[in-house]
Amino acid sequence: MSASLATVSYLGATILFILCLGGLSNQETARRGNLYGMIGMTIAVLATVFGPRVASMGLPWIIGAMVVGGAMGLYLARVVKMTQMPELVAFMHSLVGLAACLVGFASYIDTSISFSGAEKAIHEIEIYVGILIGAVTFSGSVIAFGKLSGRIRSAPVSFAGQHLLNLAIGIAMIGFGIWFFMADPSEHYWLPYVVMTALAFLLGFLIIIPIGGADMPVVISMLNSYSGWAAAGIGFSLNNPMLIISGSLVGSSGAILSYIMCRAMNRSFFSVILGGFGAEGGTVVAGSEQKQVKSGSADDVAFMLGNADSVIIVPGSGLAVARAQHAVKEMANALREKGINVRYAIHPVAGRMPGHMNVLLAEAEVPYDQVFEMEDINGDFGSTDVVLVLGANDVVNPLAEVKGSPIYGMPILEAHNARTVIVNKRSMAAGYAGLDNPLFYMDKTMMVFGDAKKVVEDIVKALE
């Protein structure tokens, strides 16, 4: 492939990536956007592999790596459950960070690359920034994966002087980076290079451990941004404009998404970047485990839903775990046939990943006009007869309105304002934030314990 054809291919791939991001901004166009991204990436990979900068003798290694990587991706896509998507995304981010580090090391030891003066300084800055972001992304993503998958304690881990330690590591990294730049250009200076890399790995670890499991959606978004900038760094090291462009798109879009999610959680964007997110303490309601809850059966729920004029369904992680979205759609259709107004309310960080609930409902082919975002439906809870909460916890927790609570100020779905609230959970276990939920003990609330799919299927039978 000629250089001009490769450039045109990169331009086409860039346009498709932009169309992909535009499509993913709306659930009605998300499938088309995802298709644009797949086509764009295919074009970019083929243009790179068969472009003028890849020697023919290296093609077997590249194609072999593509086959192995593609097979692994296909396997994961087939076996990973929807509820495991957040930790899969974290795992993928870690691979991008590791790739950035390996490319940086390869560029540093590549004897075919020889620079001097300003070119040498720019090249070493590219290597330094690429490895810095890549190492932080790798170790941070590994910790995020461990917290999300339950392999590591999800509660925040903090200690005295944590932020001062992070600051000291940052200053030390800059110092070793200056030492690295001042080294003799005729020889590779490994000591400052290796030390600053190790410090970057440590910094990524320290940034993520003080963040609790309930705040992981924002962390995943932040690491997504980091992985994009790491990919851009790889592009500079390899002199590949396509990697620079695609990495910058991912990095900037991830940063924007992180900012939007921080607003939805009433958190500081800069505290997320600096690793202070989720570290604050708060007052947890004590003694709530001794309170009594009012419980009922699927028949009770069917009676209450069937006699309502308006119903709002709040899907949560319990629905995702039970794969109950198809049963919920069937129940909603049965209620609509009775003339009942049924809608779905989605929190911006529903489940453990933004857009998680939207994807599940779309999979069940729930009409888009029945699904409402939090800011569009919160004002309607007060005039709603029945709210059915399926496995959601923190996103409907009234403690968000209580000063001193760890989640104080976080916008929630105001289910507690409805006339009647029905909550389906497997048990009274706390959500990812580790907080009890006063909503469960209100006089207007009825708890229905059990697997969400089984409970909803029983409700559907009772409605017939």
Side-chain angles (χ1 to χ4, degrees):
M1 181 182 294
S2 64
S4 59
L5 181 56
T7 301
V8 171
S9 299
Y10 284 159
L11 178 60
T14 300
I15 294 173
L16 287 169
F17 289 154
I18 295 173
L19 292 174
C20 169
L21 291 175
L24 292 175
S25 64
N26 188 293
Q27 54 185 326
E28 295 183 10
T29 59
R31 291 175 185 257
R32 185 167 66 247
N34 196 34
L35 180 61
Y36 286 148
M38 293 167 61
I39 296 173
M41 183 56 68
T42 301
I43 294 174
V45 170
L46 293 178
T48 301
V49 173
F50 297 104
R53 299 189 64 228
V54 176
S56 58
M57 66 181 64
L59 279 178
W61 290 99
I62 296 175
I63 294 175
M66 290 173 60
V67 170
V68 173
M72 293 175 61
L74 180 62
Y75 172 76
L76 290 173
R78 292 176 63 88
V79 302
V80 170
K81 299 178 182 178
M82 182 60 69
T83 52
Q84 297 174 319
M85 284 301 295
E87 51 255 49
L88 175 63
V89 172
F91 176 72
M92 295 299 184
H93 291 163
S94 71
L95 295 181
V96 175
L98 182 60
C101 293
L102 294 177
V103 169
F105 272 87
S107 297
Y108 184 54
I109 64 176
D110 189 354
T111 56
S112 65
I113 301 177
S114 179
F115 296 109
S116 60
E119 290 182 343
K120 171 184 176 295
I122 293 173
H123 179 63
E124 291 185 346
I125 290 174
E126 292 171 356
I127 293 175
Y128 174 78
V129 173
I131 288 185
L132 167 62
I133 300 176
V136 170
T137 302
F138 173 73
S139 57
S141 297
V142 169
I143 298 301
F145 170 80
K147 283 177 175 269
L148 287 169
S149 61
R151 292 173 171 83
I152 299 176
R153 180 186 175 209
S154 63
V157 178
S158 58
F159 51 86
Q162 193 166 26
H163 294 297
L164 289 177
L165 177 60
N166 291 346
L167 178 61
I169 292 175
I171 294 174
M173 288 173 58
I174 295 174
F176 280 103
I178 294 173
W179 184 3
F180 171 64
F181 297 144
M182 299 298 291
D184 187 344
S186 63
E187 60 181 64
H188 293 303
Y189 217 73
W190 284 105
L191 179 59
Y193 190 66
V194 172
V195 172
M196 71 179 185
T197 303
L199 289 175
F201 280 119
L202 179 60
L203 184 61
F205 170 79
L206 291 174
I207 285 177
I208 303 302
I209 59 169
I211 303 175
D215 303 330
M216 278 297 126
V218 183
V219 175
I220 293 297
S221 176
M222 177 188 70
L223 292 171
N224 177 57
S225 178
Y226 287 176
S227 68
W229 299 123
I234 296 175
F236 280 108
S237 299
L238 298 177
N239 194 26
N240 187 306
M242 188 69 258
L243 266 176
I244 297 172
I245 294 171
S246 59
S248 298
L249 286 173
V250 173
S252 57
S253 61
I256 294 171
L257 177 59
S258 298
Y259 176 74
I260 293 173
M261 293 185 65
C262 285
R263 289 185 59 188
M265 300 283 285
N266 194 34
R267 305 292 192 178
S268 167
F269 179 70
F270 290 103
S271 69
V272 175
I273 297 175
L274 298 175
F277 186 66
E280 294 85 358
T283 303
V284 179
V285 175
S288 55
E289 68 278 358
Q290 300 177 357
K291 297 179 181 179
Q292 297 297 316
V293 299
K294 181 170 59 178
S295 61
S297 64
D299 290 336
D300 298 326
V301 176
F303 176 80
M304 298 169 71
L305 293 175
N307 287 279
D309 291 325
S310 58
V311 172
I312 294 179
I313 300 172
V314 179
S317 56
L319 176 143
V321 171
R323 302 286 296 172
Q325 61 269 30
H326 296 280
V328 169
K329 181 193 175 185
E330 184 179 357
M331 178 189 69
N333 288 342
L335 293 174
R336 283 181 169 272
E337 290 175 0
K338 296 178 179 290
I340 301 170
N341 181 22
V342 181
R343 292 172 293 171
Y344 299 82
I346 306 294
H347 193 274
V349 290
R352 283 194 279 179
M353 193 173 182
H356 200 183
M357 295 301 119
N358 299 79
V359 173
L360 290 176
L361 296 179
E363 185 182 49
E365 298 184 350
V366 172
Y368 296 129
D369 60 359
Q370 297 178 15
V371 182
F372 293 82
E373 298 296 331
M374 177 183 67
E375 60 270 18
D376 297 325
I377 201 170
N378 252 355
D380 295 345
F381 279 106
S383 58
T384 300
D385 293 324
V386 179
V387 170
L388 176 59
V389 180
L390 296 170
N393 197 323
D394 299 323
V395 297
V396 293
N397 194 334
L399 283 179
E401 300 175 351
V402 179
K403 288 187 177 181
S405 164
I407 61 172
Y408 173 66
M410 184 185 87
I412 59 170
L413 291 166
E414 298 172 358
H416 58 281
N417 289 333
R419 297 187 180 99
T420 301
V421 181
I422 301 170
V423 180
N424 167 240
K425 284 173 59 72
R426 291 177 179 270
S427 67
M428 291 297 294
Y432 299 117
L435 301 175
D436 201 9
N437 192 335
L439 175 68
F440 304 157
Y441 309 102
M442 292 182 176
D443 293 335
K444 66 171 72 176
T445 302
M446 183 176 74
M447 303 293 298
V448 182
F449 297 103
D451 177 82
K453 184 177 181 181
K454 178 65 168 58
V455 169
V456 174
E457 287 175 346
D458 289 343
I459 295 173
V460 173
K461 291 178 182 177
L463 286 170
E464 295 175 351

